Amino acid sequence: PFDVLIVGGGPAGAAAAVYAARKGIRTGIAAERFGGQVLDTMGIENFISVTETEGPKMVQQLEQHVRHYDVDVMNLQRADKLSHDGELVHVQLASGATLKARTVILSTGARWRQMNVPGENEYRNKGVAYCPHCDGPLFKGKRVSVIGGGNSGVEAAIDLAGIVNHVTLIEYDSQLRADAVLQRKLHSLPNVSVITSAQTTEVTGDGSKVNGLVYKDRVSGETRTIALDGIFVQIGLLPNSEWLKGSLELSPRGEIIVDAKGATSMPGVFAAGDVTTVPYKQIIIAMGEGAKAALSAFDHLIRQQAP
Ligand code: FAD
């Protein structure tokens, strides 16, 4: 069996692999797609000590760093089921194989919920964005819209209003769902407008970047357009934890509940990164959490009896 088996090969999993392997213990990493969300990222400007890089380049460096150590890298492997036999943790793969380990680190990340309207995919990273902390500064002085009037949408609109020229917040429902204190803050800002009962139906562009969106007024039924340079979609971040339902404690949002050491409700199983309850989903945070989970797994191992 592995001493530490990591499930998920994004920044959290890569950091966990490096930290575990450096303890000289048997380390494996199984990932559906090594690199995770970073593969889909164009510019990264907030990874501290690296002023500017690109997602695919960072993934190459992550893989190089992991392979510098004796790590069994199993790419293109999806985990389907997690269980514990009292001694070892079992991770069942979609391929049919089962991996066994003394400790497991879950770092399967998350994915942004999409609007699923024409233009959204074509203009992803060309004006369509999902992360205001990441891409907000790219729209300095421009006009953007935020889709979604829950807490994350309203927080994004407040955040962006300090950077961009104008923010239009678009909500499907007849009212915003964010906390009252956030709504008050939002309404106090001079460069924010709010449109409710609006269903976004299309992202438009000039072929190379976003130039607006089309929405349907759900009260009048009329179709309207807004000219824009950017669209931040804030309708939910979905943790990749469906396969863990029933085996581990998850939050109501489906995030793996972890304590300050990254421990989950299953003994010997730790978790890190966007799939957990740890707030603020960022590369640098996921890496720190991955390192922490690996040290916690090691700490767990040295307290177990030698097999
Ligand atoms: P992920 O990166 O999501 O990786 C999850 C890993 O688990 C992947 O390898 C995936 O294939 C694998 N996996 C999932 N399910 C399974 C399964 N069942 N079995 C096996 N493997 C599985 N953050 C920043 O700090 N700066 C930025 O500029 C930035 N820009 C972003 C731009 C975009 C478009 C997106 C989508 C995100 C951006 N982020 C940015 C956020 C950042 O990418 C994430 O916070 C970070 O990647 C989370 O790392 P993670 O390792 O927890 O998960």
Side-chain angles (χ1 to χ4, degrees):
F2 290 101
D3 289 314
V4 178
L5 172 65
I6 298 145
V7 184
V18 169
Y19 266 74
R22 284 170 57 80
K23 295 294 185 190
I25 54 182
R26 196 172 166 221
T27 305
I29 181 166
E32 192 170 359
R33 186 167 156 259
F34 189 91
Q37 292 171 72
V38 180
L39 270 182
D40 304 325
T41 303
M42 291 313 289
I44 299 169
E45 301 182 355
N46 58 3
F47 187 68
I48 308 310
S49 84
V50 180
T51 309
E52 212 178 330
T53 187
E54 280 156 16
K57 186 173 166 202
M58 180 182 268
V59 171
Q60 231 174 34
Q61 291 168 325
L62 285 177
E63 184 164 358
Q64 210 172 56
H65 201 173
V66 168
R67 289 192 189 273
H68 182 67
Y69 295 96
D70 191 12
V71 175
D72 191 348
V73 179
M74 296 161 276
N75 199 7
L76 309 178
Q77 296 294 335
R78 198 182 78 228
D80 263 355
K81 199 166 176 272
L82 180 79
S83 58
H84 203 299
D85 67 9
E87 191 191 344
L88 294 174
V89 187
H90 294 214
V91 173
Q92 195 178 309
L93 301 177
S95 68
T98 298
L99 303 173
K100 293 181 188 171
R102 296 170 69 200
T103 65
V104 163
I105 296 172
L106 303 168
S107 53
T108 47
R111 59 196 191 274
W112 290 99
R113 179 177 288 160
Q114 295 190 265
M115 298 185 288
N116 292 318
V117 300
E120 181 178 20
N121 270 329
E122 289 91 312
Y123 291 106
R124 190 177 182 142
N125 291 325
K126 297 170 184 164
V128 175
Y130 297 85
C131 173
H133 314 303
C134 311
D135 297 339
L138 303 179
F139 296 92
K140 190 165 185 242
K142 300 195 168 164
R143 294 154 307 172
V144 304
S145 129
V146 171
I147 312 294
N151 279 338
S152 54
V154 173
E155 282 166 10
I158 295 168
D159 173 357
L160 291 166
I163 301 171
V164 305
N165 175 48
H166 190 266
V167 181
T168 307
L169 183 115
I170 296 187
E171 165 59 42
Y172 180 85
D173 209 349
S174 59
Q175 54 185 28
L176 304 185
R177 287 158 293 122
D179 297 342
V181 58
L182 288 174
Q183 292 197 38
R184 274 198 299 278
K185 174 73 188 185
L186 183 76
H187 290 302
S188 76
L189 299 171
N191 61 337
V192 176
S193 42
V194 175
I195 305 177
T196 53
S197 300
Q199 179 182 5
T200 307
T201 54
E202 191 182 346
V203 171
T204 60
D206 64 6
S208 63
K209 56 183 174 32
V210 164
N211 63 14
L213 66 72
V214 182
Y215 72 92
K216 189 176 116 185
D217 181 325
R218 297 178 60 236
V219 177
S220 69
E222 277 170 62
T223 294
R224 302 211 169 92
T225 60
I226 314 176
L228 294 165
D229 305 294
I231 299 173
F232 285 80
V233 183
Q234 297 288 304
I235 54 178
L237 183 66
L238 307 171
N240 297 319
S241 63
E242 291 85 353
W243 64 288
L244 296 166
K245 265 179 203 149
S247 57
L248 277 184
E249 249 182 75
L250 303 177
S251 74
R253 287 175 166 197
E255 294 169 328
I256 302 171
I257 298 176
V258 289
D259 68 10
K261 289 182 140 186
T264 71
S265 61
M266 190 185 279
V269 177
F270 301 84
D274 282 15
V275 74
T276 71
T277 44
V278 170
Y280 309 120
K281 313 305 191 196
Q282 294 284 281
I283 295 166
I284 202 159
I285 294 174
M287 282 192 191
E289 292 293 313
K292 200 162 69 172
L295 295 177
S296 298
F298 183 69
D299 188 61
H300 179 87
L301 286 170
I302 62 174
R303 282 156 208 275
Q304 303 297 103
Q305 264 188 335

